[in-house]
Amino acid sequence: MQTIAIIGAGVTGLSCAVRLLRAGFKVSIFDRSGFPGQGASAAAAGMLTPLGESAELPLRFVEAGLKAIGIWKDLLADEMPCALKRRGSLLVASAFDRPLLTAFRRGIEPLSDRWVMLDRAGVRTLEPCLSPVYEDGLYFPEDAHLDAIEALKAMVRLTLQMGGQLICEETEVSDLWDRYDRVIDCRGWTQDHDPDLHAVKGEALSLLPPDG
């Protein structure tokens, strides 16, 4: 049995571990912050909205994003089905912003037909608490949302259930070469790794309407 060491217990590291364990490999995961890791994955908003962001992404990223939703469903279906919510995403526009929404729609028309144009009544059906200023919307029913924290915890449980080893310590690839058949570095992006890549930071805000 081949032995695999994974550095990093975020989304990438844990999902690799689960799939490798299912394939019959012996897996050890290293993370200095514990399990699950407390890096970028723990703060992620969990948006799986490739169609909703298709105007800004190359087609291959949109296609990969759609496949990712299916992969998460297979990965978490039994352990944590509620971690993946497939309720779609909604882009809305006021009368002032309508030209922007129209331009967005024209941009995605050659890419996909998996969207629905909504009028004011359609927008209200999906989001009754929205201000009436929003008159039009584009609905992407196949987009999804991942509860990142619950997904990470579920993958930690799956890793332990299948015999994976969790090691809370800082390490480098060079420290593990002699001890494992393969070493996978899943610590994420740093400028030292690839100067052509750039990091993107965002913020997540949850809005809860008042009762009634």
Side-chain angles (χ1 to χ4, degrees):
M1 178 186 297
Q2 283 200 353
T3 58
I4 310 290
I6 296 173
I7 307 176
V11 165
T12 305
L14 288 170
S15 59
C16 281
V18 170
R19 299 195 71 163
L20 287 168
L21 286 163
R22 286 176 175 172
F25 294 93
K26 184 176 181 181
V27 177
S28 299
I29 312 177
F30 294 79
D31 196 294
R32 64 183 180 181
S33 65
F35 300 92
Q38 299 302 306
S41 294
M47 293 173 59
L48 301 175
T49 57
L51 290 175
E53 300 179 31
S54 57
E56 302 176 0
L57 295 173
L59 179 58
R60 61 190 178 94
F61 284 91
V62 176
E63 293 172 340
L66 290 171
K67 291 179 181 178
I69 295 173
I71 290 172
W72 277 114
K73 183 178 179 180
D74 293 340
L75 198 64
L76 299 174
D78 295 330
E79 179 65 22
M80 185 60 66
C82 61
L84 181 67
K85 300 176 177 65
R86 198 164 191 176
R87 299 173 183 168
S89 64
L90 177 65
L91 301 181
V92 295
S94 64
F96 179 79
D97 295 324
R98 186 177 292 126
L100 296 176
L101 190 67
T102 300
F104 183 91
R105 185 196 68 198
R106 289 173 178 165
I108 64 171
E109 282 177 343
L111 303 179
S112 172
D113 59 359
R114 290 175 284 190
W115 51 271
V116 181
M117 191 73 190
L118 301 177
D119 58 12
R120 179 183 293 181
V123 171
R124 290 297 162 284
T125 298
L126 288 177
E127 294 292 344
C129 294
L130 276 180
S131 168
V133 71
Y134 297 110
E135 300 180 353
D136 299 287
L138 273 175
Y139 177 51
F140 301 91
E142 296 186 27
D143 283 353
H145 171 255
L146 182 74
D147 187 324
I149 297 298
E150 292 303 319
L152 290 168
K153 291 178 180 178
M155 288 189 290
V156 168
R157 291 194 295 271
L158 285 169
T159 297
L160 291 173
Q161 289 170 9
M162 293 186 288
Q165 185 180 22
L166 307 180
I167 303 171
C168 187
E169 68 178 53
E170 185 170 7
T171 189
E172 295 295 333
V173 173
S174 58
D175 300 329
L176 304 174
W177 277 128
D178 295 335
R179 298 160 51 190
Y180 296 88
D181 296 313
R182 296 286 188 274
V183 180
I184 306 173
D185 190 346
C186 295
R187 287 174 290 184
W189 175 89
T190 68
Q191 195 167 9
D192 294 337
H193 289 173
D194 191 337
D196 293 329
L197 295 176
H198 65 280
V200 177
K201 294 183 179 180
E203 296 180 357
L205 176 66
S206 297
L207 301 177
L208 299 178
D211 294 337

